[in-house]
Amino acid sequence: MNISEPFIKRPVATTLLALGLLLVGIICYFRLPIASLPTVERPTIAVWASLPGASPDIVATSINVPLSRELGVIPGLVEMSSLNTQGGVQITLQFELSVNIDAAANAVQSAINTASPNLPSGMPQPPIYYKANPGGAPVIALALTSQVVDSSDVYAYADTIVAQRLSQVKGVARVVISGAERPAVRIQVDPDTLAGMSLSLEHVRAAVASASLNLPKGSISVEDRVYTIGTNDQLFHADEYRQIVVGWSNGAPVLLRDVARVEDSVLNTKLAGWFNNERAVLLFVYREADANVVETVDEILSLVPQLSRWIPPAIKVNVAYDRTLLIRASIADIQMTIAVASILIVLVISLFLKRLWTTAISSVVVPVTLAGTLAAIYALGYSLNNLSLMALTIAVGFVVDDTVIVIENTTRLIEEGSSPIEAAIKGSRQIGFTIVSITAALIAALIPVIFMPDIVGRYFREFGFTLMIAIILSAVLSLTLTPMLCARQPGRSTGRTAHGHGFVEGYLRSLDWTIRHQFLVITTIAGILAGTAWFYVALPKGYMPTQDTGILFVRTYSNPSISFAAMERLQRQVSTTIQSDPAVSDLVSYIGAGIGGVMSWGYMMVNLRPPEQRHESVQEVSERLRQKLAPLKDVATYFIPIQDLNVGTQNNALRFQYVVSSTDPALVARWSETMRRRLIALPEIRDLITNSETTGLEAGLVIDRPRAARRGVTPVGIDNTLYDAFGQRWINLIYLPLNFSEVILEVDPARQTDPSQLDRLFVPGLNGVQVALSSVTRPRRVHGSMWLNYDDRFPATTISFDTKPGVSIGDAISAIRKAEVEANIPDDVKTHFRGEAGEAAQSQNTTVLLFIAALLAIYIVLGMLYESFVHPVIVLSVLPSATFGAFLALSLTGLELNLMSSIACILLVGIVMKNAIMMIDFAITAERKDGLSPIQAIREAASARFRPIVMTSIVALLSACPLALNTGPGHELRQPVGIALVGGLLLSQVLTLYTTPAMYLLLGRFASKSARAGLG
């Protein structure tokens, strides 16, 4: 049966089918979304809870522990980390890929509800959650600046208008506002004046809380009218609060203005943000895990002109940075790469066949196959991204390979005297099994890629399916459309041409010599196999190439006990230095204490100029900025290039993380310090920093309980007084038309600068007598943590690090594991890698298993097709030379063996097998049907298949060259694949012309014995 014959005899139907597929593909192309990588992220939920004024240890024990106990038992949870800071906690939960984000959110809310009875009663609001990863990078940042509008008013517009509208955009998970806070009334009490009037801070708090309310009053019905009842019970501004009566002294009322300074201020005065050198309110937009970046950003950008009309003209909305700029450039660049590869391949075919019609056939089949693939990936819900388009680039070579095999076989028959239609029917029948065998082997090679586990598997699944669809369509069109077009080529040859005959004769003479020296061939294969194993051990191992997305995330660190004013000064120095660099376009910067933030930490997002303007990589820019900032004292600056592939939940200062955890905080402190010192000494590592902090200063008080009891002072009274004085306590809520505000109670800021001011506080005692705090307490000065970290409910320390230039993360992981063994860490202390380092540690074993799985899948498929245990081994014997060439190319270009280059090695398996399959198919047929001896059969096969093998080898090489040579946007992901393919093809395609016949003759003896044994 010849499946091609009906299509050859019905050219109109075949042409219309192809045309329909082409049109559908074109329509789908314009409807496909654009992305940098497939939209795959673990479902991540962040929980925030605040308790203003609470120290990190109080936050950890009273909020984090009750919440984590309930959150930690949610099914499908794979990672949970928490950061406890002054005034609040941030808990980040990451789930398995199979978990639905909405179901996870419901489970999180249920856990919060269950934990609520155990949470402090003084929390201003219940814990809240967002379906976004705080450790990820925002997709776009807006900066609101103004020369005349106060920052608190700018924040009000940002919060009530801009952020609300952006949050409604499909795909937006959360909008984070930094650099300012919402308005508030701030009451700053003079404790000496207050005590002189026999009043306490608790008196002030109670008086303010009862003086401003917003309660329902009801209504009055009079005949046919209804009157609602209203009063001026709610106060809104500072001048109104100044008139509140807080107590009585000698029969006269004591007004709030008599004992305190009351002013219209903001909720948190220790926040600041800048856009370049201008004060700004910053809005960072985070997307949902399954949202398309480009579509989300496009909708946001379309809203910017509308937002400008809703806010005063004096406030300018600036796009601080846009993650999609280089994504679009990268997609355009790889589309050009596909076009270049297609043109080069068509030129090669025209040079070999020297026929306009056969060249035109390739020019038709390639776009039809690509169009069909685009239609399929649209139906599957995929996007145009670096991986899917790279699959299409590689697929061009596979498509043309199948087409070339059919065209060359048909052309050979025409040259031998057959008519075009006869040649097409006969040629498709001869080559049909070969096409099926090649396609089956290629699909088998891709099966392990498609079923890779976890998040990396999901990323490469889109790549694998795209390539598999293209391969299947290529095979289908090669057996339908291509033979039909071959049958319509004009002219008829009456004899075989001499074109290329001299090359064939020369090849056969060299092949005869090789067959006579089979031992030399086997020795060569063994040597290459040993060299491949050596290269695998010697090559540096990585995870994913570092992308140049044009954005740097910058973290600044200073003394944990630094003041806000000092941190602001240091942050401005760093930002000014960075902004002066010629490669920097824009910069947003912010500092501030709060939930998820620490006073001594600063943050920046640096937007670099396009690659064609700066002419250097993001690593080179980072290194230059490091050197510029090195002379700055009292501040350390770290750079992380933003990556499209985001793994992990922690927002760390450096790219890689190593975690030390235990149930005992003392053990964590001891062994994290031990490992920190050992890691510093490793030559592979630089820029090491830990998130452990125990050098902060604590102004402690020890209560003399017997003395306090005699004077009627309770610990609760002391805690409340301290909270009123130094905790920026929220004591009342102000309801506004579009938002709400708070009333903040504290002592005069001048009294918050020295621990000795604690002695000047008074607490309520017996009969309302004000008792000096110093009379019932004694001071205790100790070191305390300014923040506390937990990992999966246990105290933990994360050591963040980066590798030195030229050192791969795989080498660093091996060095750290060796340091662990030397340190002899006890069993009750657990260590592991997190984020990208954790994925890299897992991928080191995954790469080998993936390659072995590909080989087994190919062996099984070919064994079934050939009904032989031996012939698949002959086909697979070409692999050592391919992997050796790939490893050699990676070594010569200084690249590491990472997931991208590993995928290239698996693709090489499929590509180089095609030559062996074409040769072995012909030889097996010649033996079984024509009765030729093995040596005659393989020699005839080598002669008949020499031209298609050379053509397909050059075609495959040219399809990979644009990937290897391209240096445009996004080339970091594609170039390792291209270089590995080119290196493997250059070596293997030459050697397989000789090693395949030799292995066929050597192993063919075993195949004959097996066949005879089976018949017997």
Side-chain angles (χ1 to χ4, degrees), residues 179-227:
E181 261 288 9
R182 65 174 182 265
V185 173
R186 189 169 292 272
I187 301 172
Q188 298 170 337
V189 179
D190 183 340
D192 292 339
T193 304
L194 195 66
M197 296 182 179
S198 299
L199 297 174
S200 67
L201 286 166
E202 283 295 277
H203 284 110
V204 175
R205 180 165 71 93
V208 173
S210 61
S212 179
L213 301 171
N214 189 27
L215 300 178
K217 291 92 178 171
S219 61
I220 298 174
S221 298
V222 180
E223 296 181 356
D224 58 345
R225 292 194 178 100
V226 175
Y227 295 85

Side-chain angles (χ1 to χ4, degrees), residues 17 59 130 161 163 221 267 412 441 498 510 527 637 676 711 739 743 841 956 970:
L17 282 173
V59 170
Y130 296 94
I161 296 177
S221 298
L267 199 62
R412 180 176 58 84
S510 61
T637 308
R676 184 189 70 82
R711 306 193 66 174
N739 206 338
V743 179

Side-chain angles (χ1 to χ4, degrees), residues 262-292:
V262 185
E263 58 185 19
D264 291 317
S265 180
V266 293
L267 199 62
N268 186 350
T269 58
K270 298 175 181 179
L271 293 172
W274 300 269
F275 174 57
N276 295 328
N277 291 320
E278 191 175 0
R279 282 297 298 264
V281 175
L282 310 172
L283 295 95
F284 298 99
V285 182
Y286 292 82
R287 68 178 177 91
E288 293 180 346
D290 58 349
N292 180 271

